Amino acid sequence: MSKLSTEHLLGIKYISTEDVETILSTAKTFKEVINRPIKKVPSLREVTVANLFFENSTRTRLSFELAEKRLSADVVNFSASGSSVSKGETLTDTVNNILAMKVDMVVMRHPNPGAAVFLARALKKYPKSAHARIINAGDGTHEHPTQALLDAFSLQQQFGSLKGLNVLIVGDIVHSRVALSNIYCLKKLGANVKLCGPPTLMPKYIETLGVEVEYDLRKALEWCDAANVLRIQLERQDIKYFPSLREYSLLYGVNDEILDSLKKQITILHPGPINRGVEITGSVADGNHSLILEQVENGVAVRMAVLYLLAGVPNA
Ligand code: CP
């Protein structure tokens, strides 16, 4: 029985504001746990989790595995490379076979948008797999819900509340699952959201989500309290969206020069991996106003909260 009003975490779009708030307040407890000398609790002792990564990952994969181990779950890891996917096995067959080994929860990263929603629907048809909880660890250009939750948690820790906070998301918006999940999450928590990036990297109907668009980076930075800087996702671009990385960096790169010229200090976030010298300079990423490594630390606590709440185990 999930302790949230949802069985799965497929995207921030599909969960209530109350569920977002429950996850963030539970993450606070788990952040205390992971800062103790003994970082492990027995909460998911009876639970087995499979981490299925059909696309590369460093932070999300390790962070989920650590979160599961800190909660005392049994963990199995699957990467598409080296698996029977190369022999043509479908996603549903792959997951049904893993679940037949008595797995309770599936954390899945997949290159195709909608893969997590598809899987949750497909498994309903199989009585032996219908019990499984699905957590979307990033599906193509669609959503990356735990990234948005950890970003919101990091902002909450920094600013106390997100109500009325001005948050800028800058960069490759059109290819970014982080942008979409952040927009849903920030809006649910009462933040004001503005987007900035080249017009070619801005989805046409994005303003229907209740966000503003500003194409001038200086004006956008002047407006915000915090800026979430996104990577140019060259792996998702089969055509050219801007003349060169150098020109992108000149117009949309966040560097000391532009930040020092503002009338205020702003907080910097980045989901990683960073293209140093493209969307952000090394000195900004490593600087005093950067929350980047806080985000990574908070990712473990937030993922512990998601796993614990979805598993719905009676004892904490
Ligand atoms: N932020 C993020 O999703 O990073 P990884 O791709 O390394 O998991």
Side-chain angles (χ1 to χ4, degrees), residues 262-312:
L262 305 177
K263 297 184 190 85
K264 59 180 186 183
Q265 301 283 4
I266 62 170
T267 295
I268 301 292
L269 298 96
H270 191 306
I274 297 172
N275 289 319
R276 285 174 185 257
V278 179
E279 72 272 2
I280 192 168
T281 58
S283 78
V284 172
D286 302 333
N288 291 339
H289 302 287
S290 164
L291 288 188
I292 295 171
L293 291 180
E294 288 291 315
Q295 289 171 268
V296 177
E297 178 184 342
N298 292 335
V300 177
V302 165
R303 289 175 175 124
M304 285 172 83
V306 169
L307 288 156
Y308 167 70
L309 291 164
L310 282 181

mmCIF file of all heavy atoms in Angstrom, residues 262-312:
data_model
loop_
_atom_site.group_PDB
_atom_site.id
_atom_site.type_symbol
_atom_site.label_atom_id
_atom_site.label_comp_id
_atom_site.label_asym_id
_atom_site.label_seq_id
_atom_site.Cartn_x
_atom_site.Cartn_y
_atom_site.Cartn_z
ATOM 1 N N LEU A 262 25.450 41.624 -12.191
ATOM 2 C CA LEU A 262 24.072 41.740 -11.679
ATOM 3 C C LEU A 262 24.078 42.554 -10.388
ATOM 4 O O LEU A 262 25.096 42.647 -9.704
ATOM 5 C CB LEU A 262 23.476 40.348 -11.405
ATOM 6 C CG LEU A 262 23.483 39.354 -12.567
ATOM 7 C CD1 LEU A 262 22.932 38.009 -12.110
ATOM 8 C CD2 LEU A 262 22.683 39.882 -13.746
ATOM 9 N N LYS A 263 22.891 43.049 -10.019
ATOM 10 C CA LYS A 263 22.811 43.861 -8.803
ATOM 11 C C LYS A 263 22.620 42.988 -7.566
ATOM 12 O O LYS A 263 22.373 43.478 -6.477
ATOM 13 C CB LYS A 263 21.659 44.854 -8.924
ATOM 14 C CG LYS A 263 21.860 45.843 -10.065
ATOM 15 C CD LYS A 263 20.743 46.890 -10.093
ATOM 16 C CE LYS A 263 20.802 47.714 -11.360
ATOM 17 N NZ LYS A 263 20.091 47.068 -12.485
ATOM 18 N N LYS A 264 22.646 41.670 -7.733
ATOM 19 C CA LYS A 264 22.405 40.759 -6.599
ATOM 20 C C LYS A 264 23.137 39.437 -6.814
ATOM 21 O O LYS A 264 23.636 39.161 -7.913
ATOM 22 C CB LYS A 264 20.912 40.510 -6.478
ATOM 23 C CG LYS A 264 20.336 39.903 -7.745
ATOM 24 C CD LYS A 264 18.857 39.666 -7.599
ATOM 25 C CE LYS A 264 18.296 38.926 -8.782
ATOM 26 N NZ LYS A 264 16.891 38.736 -8.718
ATOM 27 N N GLN A 265 23.149 38.618 -5.760
ATOM 28 C CA GLN A 265 23.722 37.273 -5.849
ATOM 29 C C GLN A 265 22.584 36.311 -6.166
ATOM 30 O O GLN A 265 21.511 36.431 -5.577
ATOM 31 C CB GLN A 265 24.297 36.843 -4.482
ATOM 32 C CG GLN A 265 25.365 37.748 -3.936
ATOM 33 C CD GLN A 265 26.699 37.528 -4.635
ATOM 34 O OE1 GLN A 265 26.788 36.745 -5.579
ATOM 35 N NE2 GLN A 265 27.710 38.235 -4.203
ATOM 36 N N ILE A 266 22.833 35.376 -7.054
ATOM 37 C CA ILE A 266 21.802 34.357 -7.280
ATOM 38 C C ILE A 266 22.381 32.962 -7.029
ATOM 39 O O ILE A 266 23.578 32.750 -7.125
ATOM 40 C CB ILE A 266 21.176 34.447 -8.685
ATOM 41 C CG1 ILE A 266 22.230 34.221 -9.759
ATOM 42 C CG2 ILE A 266 20.453 35.752 -8.911
ATOM 43 C CD1 ILE A 266 21.621 34.059 -11.125
ATOM 44 N N THR A 267 21.483 32.051 -6.681
ATOM 45 C CA THR A 267 21.880 30.666 -6.411
ATOM 46 C C THR A 267 21.885 29.888 -7.726
ATOM 47 O O THR A 267 20.981 30.050 -8.549
ATOM 48 C CB THR A 267 20.859 30.055 -5.418
ATOM 49 O OG1 THR A 267 20.990 30.760 -4.193
ATOM 50 C CG2 THR A 267 21.087 28.584 -5.194
ATOM 51 N N ILE A 268 22.918 29.054 -7.895
ATOM 52 C CA ILE A 268 23.073 28.307 -9.155
ATOM 53 C C ILE A 268 22.859 26.813 -8.924
ATOM 54 O O ILE A 268 23.446 26.225 -8.013
ATOM 55 C CB ILE A 268 24.505 28.520 -9.733
ATOM 56 C CG1 ILE A 268 24.780 30.003 -9.998
ATOM 57 C CG2 ILE A 268 24.736 27.664 -10.978
ATOM 58 C CD1 ILE A 268 23.975 30.630 -11.115
ATOM 59 N N LEU A 269 22.009 26.226 -9.774
ATOM 60 C CA LEU A 269 21.820 24.776 -9.772
ATOM 61 C C LEU A 269 22.181 24.228 -11.151
ATOM 62 O O LEU A 269 22.126 24.966 -12.152
ATOM 63 C CB LEU A 269 20.365 24.395 -9.472
ATOM 64 C CG LEU A 269 19.808 24.797 -8.118
ATOM 65 C CD1 LEU A 269 19.062 26.104 -8.229
ATOM 66 C CD2 LEU A 269 18.884 23.719 -7.555
ATOM 67 N N HIS A 270 22.522 22.963 -11.193
ATOM 68 C CA HIS A 270 22.759 22.264 -12.470
ATOM 69 C C HIS A 270 22.534 20.783 -12.186
ATOM 70 O O HIS A 270 23.073 20.255 -11.219
ATOM 71 C CB HIS A 270 24.190 22.523 -12.964
ATOM 72 C CG HIS A 270 24.448 22.083 -14.375
ATOM 73 N ND1 HIS A 270 24.202 20.801 -14.817
ATOM 74 C CD2 HIS A 270 24.936 22.759 -15.457
ATOM 75 C CE1 HIS A 270 24.521 20.707 -16.108
ATOM 76 N NE2 HIS A 270 24.965 21.875 -16.525
ATOM 77 N N PRO A 271 21.721 20.105 -13.024
ATOM 78 C CA PRO A 271 21.447 18.690 -12.723
ATOM 79 C C PRO A 271 22.618 17.750 -13.015
ATOM 80 O O PRO A 271 22.627 16.616 -12.549
ATOM 81 C CB PRO A 271 20.261 18.365 -13.651
ATOM 82 C CG PRO A 271 20.378 19.350 -14.778
ATOM 83 C CD PRO A 271 20.989 20.588 -14.195
ATOM 84 N N GLY A 272 23.607 18.239 -13.807
ATOM 85 C CA GLY A 272 24.695 17.371 -14.221
ATOM 86 C C GLY A 272 24.220 16.405 -15.310
ATOM 87 O O GLY A 272 23.024 16.143 -15.414
ATOM 88 N N PRO A 273 25.103 15.852 -16.128
ATOM 89 C CA PRO A 273 26.521 16.176 -16.172
ATOM 90 C C PRO A 273 26.765 17.573 -16.760
ATOM 91 O O PRO A 273 25.975 18.026 -17.586
ATOM 92 C CB PRO A 273 27.102 15.092 -17.076
ATOM 93 C CG PRO A 273 25.957 14.626 -17.928
ATOM 94 C CD PRO A 273 24.727 14.791 -17.103
ATOM 95 N N ILE A 274 27.843 18.217 -16.310
ATOM 96 C CA ILE A 274 28.145 19.594 -16.730
ATOM 97 C C ILE A 274 29.031 19.584 -17.977
ATOM 98 O O ILE A 274 29.967 18.797 -18.058
ATOM 99 C CB ILE A 274 28.911 20.320 -15.594
ATOM 100 C CG1 ILE A 274 28.044 20.416 -14.341
ATOM 101 C CG2 ILE A 274 29.403 21.682 -16.038
ATOM 102 C CD1 ILE A 274 28.823 20.949 -13.131
ATOM 103 N N ASN A 275 28.721 20.451 -18.923
ATOM 104 C CA ASN A 275 29.671 20.752 -20.005
ATOM 105 C C ASN A 275 30.399 22.019 -19.586
ATOM 106 O O ASN A 275 29.942 23.132 -19.888
ATOM 107 C CB ASN A 275 28.945 21.021 -21.323
ATOM 108 C CG ASN A 275 28.340 19.772 -21.924
ATOM 109 O OD1 ASN A 275 28.946 18.721 -21.918
ATOM 110 N ND2 ASN A 275 27.130 19.896 -22.441
ATOM 111 N N ARG A 276 31.496 21.860 -18.865
ATOM 112 C CA ARG A 276 32.223 23.039 -18.374
ATOM 113 C C ARG A 276 32.686 23.895 -19.547
ATOM 114 O O ARG A 276 33.230 23.369 -20.516
ATOM 115 C CB ARG A 276 33.434 22.616 -17.527
ATOM 116 C CG ARG A 276 33.028 22.120 -16.158
ATOM 117 C CD ARG A 276 34.181 21.572 -15.357
ATOM 118 N NE ARG A 276 33.656 21.026 -14.111
ATOM 119 C CZ ARG A 276 33.741 21.640 -12.934
ATOM 120 N NH1 ARG A 276 34.381 22.781 -12.814
ATOM 121 N NH2 ARG A 276 33.212 21.081 -11.863
ATOM 122 N N GLY A 277 32.446 25.198 -19.434
ATOM 123 C CA GLY A 277 32.868 26.112 -20.500
ATOM 124 C C GLY A 277 31.845 26.244 -21.611
ATOM 125 O O GLY A 277 32.040 27.013 -22.545
ATOM 126 N N VAL A 278 30.734 25.484 -21.542
ATOM 127 C CA VAL A 278 29.671 25.638 -22.552
ATOM 128 C C VAL A 278 28.505 26.375 -21.892
ATOM 129 O O VAL A 278 28.381 27.591 -22.017
ATOM 130 C CB VAL A 278 29.240 24.284 -23.152
ATOM 131 C CG1 VAL A 278 28.124 24.497 -24.177
ATOM 132 C CG2 VAL A 278 30.428 23.600 -23.812
ATOM 133 N N GLU A 279 27.656 25.658 -21.135
ATOM 134 C CA GLU A 279 26.500 26.329 -20.511
ATOM 135 C C GLU A 279 26.874 26.995 -19.181
ATOM 136 O O GLU A 279 26.138 27.845 -18.678
ATOM 137 C CB GLU A 279 25.326 25.358 -20.316
ATOM 138 C CG GLU A 279 25.500 24.310 -19.229
ATOM 139 C CD GLU A 279 26.181 23.040 -19.726
ATOM 140 O OE1 GLU A 279 26.552 23.011 -20.914
ATOM 141 O OE2 GLU A 279 26.344 22.096 -18.931
ATOM 142 N N ILE A 280 28.012 26.608 -18.610
ATOM 143 C CA ILE A 280 28.431 27.173 -17.320
ATOM 144 C C ILE A 280 29.959 27.066 -17.240
ATOM 145 O O ILE A 280 30.540 26.080 -17.736
ATOM 146 C CB ILE A 280 27.745 26.388 -16.163
ATOM 147 C CG1 ILE A 280 27.893 27.086 -14.818
ATOM 148 C CG2 ILE A 280 28.244 24.952 -16.074
ATOM 149 C CD1 ILE A 280 26.986 26.491 -13.724
ATOM 150 N N THR A 281 30.588 28.053 -16.626
ATOM 151 C CA THR A 281 32.041 27.950 -16.471
ATOM 152 C C THR A 281 32.358 27.134 -15.218
ATOM 153 O O THR A 281 31.532 27.036 -14.292
ATOM 154 C CB THR A 281 32.688 29.342 -16.321
ATOM 155 O OG1 THR A 281 32.092 29.984 -15.182
ATOM 156 C CG2 THR A 281 32.517 30.195 -17.551
ATOM 157 N N GLY A 282 33.567 26.597 -15.176
ATOM 158 C CA GLY A 282 33.999 25.822 -14.016
ATOM 159 C C GLY A 282 33.951 26.653 -12.749
ATOM 160 O O GLY A 282 33.549 26.166 -11.688
ATOM 161 N N SER A 283 34.314 27.937 -12.841
ATOM 162 C CA SER A 283 34.374 28.743 -11.608
ATOM 163 C C SER A 283 32.974 29.041 -11.066
ATOM 164 O O SER A 283 32.808 29.141 -9.848
ATOM 165 C CB SER A 283 35.212 30.009 -11.796
ATOM 166 O OG SER A 283 34.478 30.964 -12.486
ATOM 167 N N VAL A 284 31.975 29.134 -11.923
ATOM 168 C CA VAL A 284 30.590 29.305 -11.419
ATOM 169 C C VAL A 284 30.097 27.976 -10.832
ATOM 170 O O VAL A 284 29.519 27.937 -9.741
ATOM 171 C CB VAL A 284 29.642 29.802 -12.530
ATOM 172 C CG1 VAL A 284 28.188 29.797 -12.055
ATOM 173 C CG2 VAL A 284 30.037 31.202 -12.986
ATOM 174 N N ALA A 285 30.369 26.883 -11.541
ATOM 175 C CA ALA A 285 29.908 25.565 -11.064
ATOM 176 C C ALA A 285 30.515 25.236 -9.699
ATOM 177 O O ALA A 285 29.856 24.640 -8.847
ATOM 178 C CB ALA A 285 30.272 24.483 -12.074
ATOM 179 N N ASP A 286 31.766 25.649 -9.493
ATOM 180 C CA ASP A 286 32.461 25.316 -8.233
ATOM 181 C C ASP A 286 32.392 26.462 -7.224
ATOM 182 O O ASP A 286 32.997 26.371 -6.146
ATOM 183 C CB ASP A 286 33.942 25.011 -8.521
ATOM 184 C CG ASP A 286 34.107 23.865 -9.513
ATOM 185 O OD1 ASP A 286 33.206 23.019 -9.579
ATOM 186 O OD2 ASP A 286 35.128 23.839 -10.237
ATOM 187 N N GLY A 287 31.701 27.536 -7.584
ATOM 188 C CA GLY A 287 31.718 28.754 -6.759
ATOM 189 C C GLY A 287 30.834 28.677 -5.523
ATOM 190 O O GLY A 287 30.099 27.703 -5.310
ATOM 191 N N ASN A 288 30.896 29.764 -4.723
ATOM 192 C CA ASN A 288 30.194 29.817 -3.429
ATOM 193 C C ASN A 288 28.680 29.789 -3.554
ATOM 194 O O ASN A 288 27.993 29.466 -2.603
ATOM 195 C CB ASN A 288 30.562 31.120 -2.694
ATOM 196 C CG ASN A 288 31.996 31.084 -2.253
ATOM 197 O OD1 ASN A 288 32.572 30.005 -2.130
ATOM 198 N ND2 ASN A 288 32.582 32.260 -2.023
ATOM 199 N N HIS A 289 28.163 30.183 -4.717
ATOM 200 C CA HIS A 289 26.707 30.257 -4.859
ATOM 201 C C HIS A 289 26.134 29.046 -5.587
ATOM 202 O O HIS A 289 24.956 29.021 -5.924
ATOM 203 C CB HIS A 289 26.316 31.560 -5.566
ATOM 204 C CG HIS A 289 26.824 32.748 -4.815
ATOM 205 N ND1 HIS A 289 26.259 33.142 -3.631
ATOM 206 C CD2 HIS A 289 27.881 33.561 -5.045
ATOM 207 C CE1 HIS A 289 26.949 34.178 -3.163
ATOM 208 N NE2 HIS A 289 27.925 34.447 -4.000
ATOM 209 N N SER A 290 26.983 28.047 -5.799
ATOM 210 C CA SER A 290 26.532 26.843 -6.505
ATOM 211 C C SER A 290 26.019 25.792 -5.519
ATOM 212 O O SER A 290 26.647 25.509 -4.496
ATOM 213 C CB SER A 290 27.721 26.262 -7.289
ATOM 214 O OG SER A 290 27.445 24.934 -7.670
ATOM 215 N N LEU A 291 24.867 25.209 -5.845
ATOM 216 C CA LEU A 291 24.280 24.130 -5.004
ATOM 217 C C LEU A 291 24.500 22.755 -5.641
ATOM 218 O O LEU A 291 23.879 21.784 -5.226
ATOM 219 C CB LEU A 291 22.759 24.340 -4.855
ATOM 220 C CG LEU A 291 22.225 25.468 -3.976
ATOM 221 C CD1 LEU A 291 20.710 25.329 -3.854
ATOM 222 C CD2 LEU A 291 22.863 25.427 -2.594
ATOM 223 N N ILE A 292 25.377 22.690 -6.649
ATOM 224 C CA ILE A 292 25.427 21.477 -7.484
ATOM 225 C C ILE A 292 25.716 20.203 -6.674
ATOM 226 O O ILE A 292 25.025 19.197 -6.826
ATOM 227 C CB ILE A 292 26.424 21.675 -8.659
ATOM 228 C CG1 ILE A 292 25.889 22.782 -9.585
ATOM 229 C CG2 ILE A 292 26.623 20.377 -9.431
ATOM 230 C CD1 ILE A 292 26.844 23.241 -10.671
ATOM 231 N N LEU A 293 26.699 20.255 -5.787
ATOM 232 C CA LEU A 293 26.991 19.029 -5.022
ATOM 233 C C LEU A 293 25.975 18.810 -3.902
ATOM 234 O O LEU A 293 25.734 17.663 -3.499
ATOM 235 C CB LEU A 293 28.436 19.030 -4.513
ATOM 236 C CG LEU A 293 29.474 18.884 -5.637
ATOM 237 C CD1 LEU A 293 30.901 18.896 -5.085
ATOM 238 C CD2 LEU A 293 29.255 17.633 -6.482
ATOM 239 N N GLU A 294 25.336 19.898 -3.429
ATOM 240 C CA GLU A 294 24.203 19.747 -2.483
ATOM 241 C C GLU A 294 23.080 18.970 -3.163
ATOM 242 O O GLU A 294 22.430 18.121 -2.554
ATOM 243 C CB GLU A 294 23.637 21.127 -2.106
ATOM 244 C CG GLU A 294 24.484 21.969 -1.196
ATOM 245 C CD GLU A 294 24.560 21.383 0.191
ATOM 246 O OE1 GLU A 294 23.519 20.960 0.733
ATOM 247 O OE2 GLU A 294 25.692 21.314 0.699
ATOM 248 N N GLN A 295 22.834 19.307 -4.437
ATOM 249 C CA GLN A 295 21.779 18.610 -5.194
ATOM 250 C C GLN A 295 22.077 17.110 -5.226
ATOM 251 O O GLN A 295 21.173 16.295 -5.037
ATOM 252 C CB GLN A 295 21.711 19.132 -6.645
ATOM 253 C CG GLN A 295 21.152 20.524 -6.792
ATOM 254 C CD GLN A 295 21.341 21.016 -8.226
ATOM 255 O OE1 GLN A 295 22.333 21.656 -8.557
ATOM 256 N NE2 GLN A 295 20.401 20.701 -9.099
ATOM 257 N N VAL A 296 23.340 16.776 -5.465
ATOM 258 C CA VAL A 296 23.698 15.358 -5.556
ATOM 259 C C VAL A 296 23.502 14.676 -4.197
ATOM 260 O O VAL A 296 22.931 13.577 -4.109
ATOM 261 C CB VAL A 296 25.145 15.191 -6.070
ATOM 262 C CG1 VAL A 296 25.534 13.723 -6.100
ATOM 263 C CG2 VAL A 296 25.293 15.808 -7.457
ATOM 264 N N GLU A 297 23.943 15.342 -3.132
ATOM 265 C CA GLU A 297 23.746 14.774 -1.781
ATOM 266 C C GLU A 297 22.241 14.605 -1.501
ATOM 267 O O GLU A 297 21.799 13.548 -1.038
ATOM 268 C CB GLU A 297 24.377 15.689 -0.722
ATOM 269 C CG GLU A 297 24.137 15.159 0.693
ATOM 270 C CD GLU A 297 24.648 16.079 1.803
ATOM 271 O OE1 GLU A 297 25.481 16.971 1.527
ATOM 272 O OE2 GLU A 297 24.196 15.892 2.935
ATOM 273 N N ASN A 298 21.478 15.641 -1.815
ATOM 274 C CA ASN A 298 20.034 15.604 -1.540
ATOM 275 C C ASN A 298 19.317 14.544 -2.371
ATOM 276 O O ASN A 298 18.267 14.045 -1.978
ATOM 277 C CB ASN A 298 19.416 16.976 -1.810
ATOM 278 C CG ASN A 298 19.901 18.009 -0.798
ATOM 279 O OD1 ASN A 298 20.293 17.656 0.311
ATOM 280 N ND2 ASN A 298 19.884 19.288 -1.177
ATOM 281 N N GLY A 299 19.898 14.205 -3.534
ATOM 282 C CA GLY A 299 19.287 13.192 -4.393
ATOM 283 C C GLY A 299 19.108 11.863 -3.672
ATOM 284 O O GLY A 299 18.104 11.173 -3.865
ATOM 285 N N VAL A 300 20.066 11.504 -2.842
ATOM 286 C CA VAL A 300 19.963 10.223 -2.121
ATOM 287 C C VAL A 300 18.787 10.282 -1.132
ATOM 288 O O VAL A 300 17.961 9.374 -1.073
ATOM 289 C CB VAL A 300 21.290 9.884 -1.406
ATOM 290 C CG1 VAL A 300 21.152 8.591 -0.607
ATOM 291 C CG2 VAL A 300 22.428 9.770 -2.416
ATOM 292 N N ALA A 301 18.691 11.377 -0.386
ATOM 293 C CA ALA A 301 17.610 11.520 0.612
ATOM 294 C C ALA A 301 16.238 11.535 -0.066
ATOM 295 O O ALA A 301 15.289 10.889 0.402
ATOM 296 C CB ALA A 301 17.818 12.797 1.417
ATOM 297 N N VAL A 302 16.145 12.258 -1.178
ATOM 298 C CA VAL A 302 14.860 12.362 -1.889
ATOM 299 C C VAL A 302 14.467 10.997 -2.458
ATOM 300 O O VAL A 302 13.308 10.581 -2.377
ATOM 301 C CB VAL A 302 14.954 13.439 -2.996
ATOM 302 C CG1 VAL A 302 13.793 13.334 -3.975
ATOM 303 C CG2 VAL A 302 14.997 14.823 -2.368
ATOM 304 N N ARG A 303 15.432 10.272 -2.990
ATOM 305 C CA ARG A 303 15.110 8.946 -3.579
ATOM 306 C C ARG A 303 14.772 7.943 -2.478
ATOM 307 O O ARG A 303 13.914 7.075 -2.658
ATOM 308 C CB ARG A 303 16.257 8.494 -4.479
ATOM 309 C CG ARG A 303 16.265 9.358 -5.739
ATOM 310 C CD ARG A 303 17.392 9.144 -6.689
ATOM 311 N NE ARG A 303 17.164 9.958 -7.873
ATOM 312 C CZ ARG A 303 18.013 10.868 -8.349
ATOM 313 N NH1 ARG A 303 19.180 11.083 -7.758
ATOM 314 N NH2 ARG A 303 17.702 11.580 -9.427
ATOM 315 N N MET A 304 15.414 8.092 -1.316
ATOM 316 C CA MET A 304 15.016 7.239 -0.170
ATOM 317 C C MET A 304 13.543 7.505 0.164
ATOM 318 O O MET A 304 12.768 6.574 0.403
ATOM 319 C CB MET A 304 15.890 7.548 1.057
ATOM 320 C CG MET A 304 17.297 6.982 0.966
ATOM 321 S SD MET A 304 18.365 7.556 2.315
ATOM 322 C CE MET A 304 17.919 6.417 3.635
ATOM 323 N N ALA A 305 13.163 8.790 0.166
ATOM 324 C CA ALA A 305 11.781 9.155 0.501
ATOM 325 C C ALA A 305 10.800 8.563 -0.510
ATOM 326 O O ALA A 305 9.774 7.986 -0.138
ATOM 327 C CB ALA A 305 11.646 10.679 0.546
ATOM 328 N N VAL A 306 11.133 8.668 -1.788
ATOM 329 C CA VAL A 306 10.236 8.146 -2.837
ATOM 330 C C VAL A 306 10.085 6.631 -2.703
ATOM 331 O O VAL A 306 8.968 6.091 -2.726
ATOM 332 C CB VAL A 306 10.781 8.527 -4.243
ATOM 333 C CG1 VAL A 306 10.048 7.777 -5.342
ATOM 334 C CG2 VAL A 306 10.676 10.033 -4.460
ATOM 335 N N LEU A 307 11.202 5.933 -2.539
ATOM 336 C CA LEU A 307 11.161 4.465 -2.425
ATOM 337 C C LEU A 307 10.362 4.051 -1.197
ATOM 338 O O LEU A 307 9.504 3.168 -1.254
ATOM 339 C CB LEU A 307 12.598 3.924 -2.313
ATOM 340 C CG LEU A 307 13.436 3.997 -3.597
ATOM 341 C CD1 LEU A 307 14.920 4.013 -3.259
ATOM 342 C CD2 LEU A 307 13.118 2.831 -4.528
ATOM 343 N N TYR A 308 10.649 4.694 -0.077
ATOM 344 C CA TYR A 308 9.987 4.351 1.189
ATOM 345 C C TYR A 308 8.470 4.598 1.105
ATOM 346 O O TYR A 308 7.672 3.733 1.481
ATOM 347 C CB TYR A 308 10.614 5.171 2.314
ATOM 348 C CG TYR A 308 9.826 5.135 3.591
ATOM 349 C CD1 TYR A 308 9.760 3.972 4.353
ATOM 350 C CD2 TYR A 308 9.107 6.250 4.016
ATOM 351 C CE1 TYR A 308 9.008 3.927 5.515
ATOM 352 C CE2 TYR A 308 8.361 6.209 5.173
ATOM 353 C CZ TYR A 308 8.302 5.042 5.917
ATOM 354 O OH TYR A 308 7.550 4.993 7.053
ATOM 355 N N LEU A 309 8.092 5.748 0.564
ATOM 356 C CA LEU A 309 6.662 6.089 0.517
ATOM 357 C C LEU A 309 5.904 5.200 -0.470
ATOM 358 O O LEU A 309 4.789 4.766 -0.194
ATOM 359 C CB LEU A 309 6.482 7.561 0.155
ATOM 360 C CG LEU A 309 6.944 8.558 1.237
ATOM 361 C CD1 LEU A 309 7.092 9.957 0.656
ATOM 362 C CD2 LEU A 309 5.963 8.564 2.412
ATOM 363 N N LEU A 310 6.517 4.918 -1.628
ATOM 364 C CA LEU A 310 5.827 4.063 -2.607
ATOM 365 C C LEU A 310 5.730 2.621 -2.138
ATOM 366 O O LEU A 310 4.738 1.941 -2.389
ATOM 367 C CB LEU A 310 6.535 4.117 -3.964
ATOM 368 C CG LEU A 310 6.280 5.336 -4.835
ATOM 369 C CD1 LEU A 310 7.041 5.216 -6.142
ATOM 370 C CD2 LEU A 310 4.799 5.561 -5.126
ATOM 371 N N ALA A 311 6.764 2.160 -1.442
ATOM 372 C CA ALA A 311 6.734 0.769 -0.940
ATOM 373 C C ALA A 311 5.644 0.624 0.103
ATOM 374 O O ALA A 311 5.069 -0.465 0.261
ATOM 375 C CB ALA A 311 8.097 0.398 -0.363
ATOM 376 N N GLY A 312 5.358 1.706 0.828
ATOM 377 C CA GLY A 312 4.242 1.694 1.772
ATOM 378 C C GLY A 312 4.408 0.722 2.919
ATOM 379 O O GLY A 312 3.433 0.254 3.490
#
